[in-house]
Amino acid sequence: MSFHRPRAVFNENSLCVLDIETICGEEMDDNSFPPWCLHTPVVASLLTAVRDSHGEWAFDLETVRFSDPEEALCRVDDLLRGRACISFAGRSFDLRVLMLTAQKCRLMSLPSLTAAATEPRYLSARHYDLADVISGYGAARGASLSGLCGALGIPVKQEAHGSEVGALYDRGDLEAIERYCETDVCATLLAYAYQRAMETGDPGYHASLTWQFARWAEEQYLDHLAPYAEVRDPQALQQFSLLGQLDASLENAQLDADLRDKRAVDDSFGELTHY
């Protein structure tokens, strides 16, 4: 006997953007990028974005170092718990590297990381791979994060590039690697906001996520996040954002009213059946 298991629904109100930086001790004879299985993670940046019932976004940015791989992996799993993982090519690289690292550590109980890494490509509710989505799952030639963000006017890779991570690591400059990784997750979040708004036909989603993130970035007083405080058409984005928050509040109020009405009916029915 088989049981139907309903597919989980992608939660666009609870996100965790993931990116990792790695080193690789082997070089390819043709100078190509080494296969993912040869890479060792150095840092992972996770940008969480959670929207409440009133349309207010709360953001947090954390970068973990892999000096202790087990501790780092457990922290990544904690931050992914209950949130949809957003990545750029994470399905083919970041999550593969993290899963292999966990296996090397004999660390098999990482349910949130495993769920994001192993869900079906086309039916994933726990992992939204932006690189996969924008290419039509391989229908179009893939674009780099730099190319996509350049076209959309999103700041990206302003201080370093992935090819420089090895040299930075050899110099012991982990802080520079962290800053670079953090700017990548910021850029990925903003690029995701464009794509998701197009999919849903909801410009308010892009506006609220982009404008509120810009305000959050400004409040961090960190040089590498400062470019993300500068958004185009801030007044228009703010207007759409506030309208989206109003719609969310009204929808939430309606749901509360419906719930109260249902409880009142249930109570009345209960009294009638009691007699």
Side-chain angles (χ1 to χ4, degrees):
M1 179 182 296
S2 62
F3 295 92
H4 172 69
R5 179 180 295 177
R7 183 166 68 91
V9 177
F10 176 71
N11 186 358
E12 63 180 13
N13 295 319
S14 186
L15 313 172
C16 183
V17 188
L18 168 70
D19 185 56
I20 69 172
E21 299 304 330
T22 65
I23 55 173
C24 181
E26 299 187 35
E27 295 184 3
M28 301 294 99
D29 293 337
D30 58 357
N31 292 322
S32 62
F33 189 71
W36 61 267
C37 56
L38 300 179
H39 288 253
T40 301
V42 176
V43 301
S45 291
L46 298 103
L47 171 61
T48 57
V50 180
R51 184 166 64 164
D52 64 20
S53 59
H54 301 292
E56 290 280 353
W57 286 95
F59 302 96
D60 193 28
L61 177 58
E62 182 173 336
T63 297
V64 296
R65 295 184 178 182
F66 276 77
S67 51
D68 184 334
E70 291 189 30
E71 182 179 338
L73 286 165
C74 288
R75 185 56 183 158
V76 169
D77 191 67
D78 285 342
L79 291 170
L80 286 173
R81 184 175 296 120
R83 301 183 174 110
C85 176
I86 311 296
S87 74
F88 194 92
R91 189 181 302 280
S92 60
F93 185 76
D94 303 69
L95 291 173
R96 303 277 75 78
V97 172
L98 292 178
M99 289 285 284
L100 181 58
T101 304
Q103 292 164 23
K104 290 177 179 178
C105 296
R106 308 296 189 268
L107 191 60
M108 307 305 179
S109 182
L110 296 171
S112 300
L113 177 61
T114 301
T118 60
E119 275 198 325
R121 183 182 188 188
Y122 304 104
L123 300 174
S124 180
R126 298 291 299 275
H127 181 205
Y128 187 106
D129 187 332
L130 182 59
D132 216 9
V133 173
I134 63 170
S135 71
Y137 300 97
R141 183 177 179 180
S144 66
L145 182 62
S146 295
L148 177 63
C149 291
L152 295 172
I154 298 171
V156 67
K157 302 186 187 298
Q158 296 186 319
E159 293 189 5
H161 193 275
S163 60
E164 301 172 36
V165 170
L168 292 171
Y169 182 82
D170 290 340
R171 294 203 300 266
D173 196 351
L174 287 179
E175 291 184 359
I177 299 175
E178 290 177 350
R179 291 194 301 271
Y180 166 62
C181 196
E182 289 177 354
T183 59
D184 265 9
V185 291
C186 293
T188 301
L189 176 70
L190 296 180
Y192 155 83
Y194 276 99
Q195 180 65 28
R196 186 62 182 171
M198 284 292 295
E199 292 172 353
T200 60
D202 181 9
Y205 184 79
H206 164 263
S208 67
L209 185 51
T210 300
W211 183 72
Q212 292 186 50
F213 180 72
R215 301 285 70 77
W216 175 85
E218 184 177 35
E219 293 167 358
Q220 303 314 298
Y221 300 105
L222 296 172
D223 290 342
H224 66 294
L225 298 186
Y228 300 99
E230 302 297 328
V231 296
R232 293 183 297 178
D233 303 320
Q235 292 183 341
L237 286 173
Q238 181 181 18
Q239 182 181 11
F240 270 115
S241 177
L242 293 174
L243 287 174
Q245 289 173 242
L246 178 60
D247 288 342
S249 296
L250 291 174
E251 181 180 356
N252 187 55
Q254 183 61 52
L255 289 173
D256 288 343
D258 292 343
L259 182 59
R260 287 195 299 269
D261 290 344
K262 182 180 183 301
R263 286 174 177 168
V265 170
D266 290 344
D267 291 344
S268 298
F269 182 76
E271 292 179 4
L272 289 173
T273 55
H274 175 72
Y275 291 108

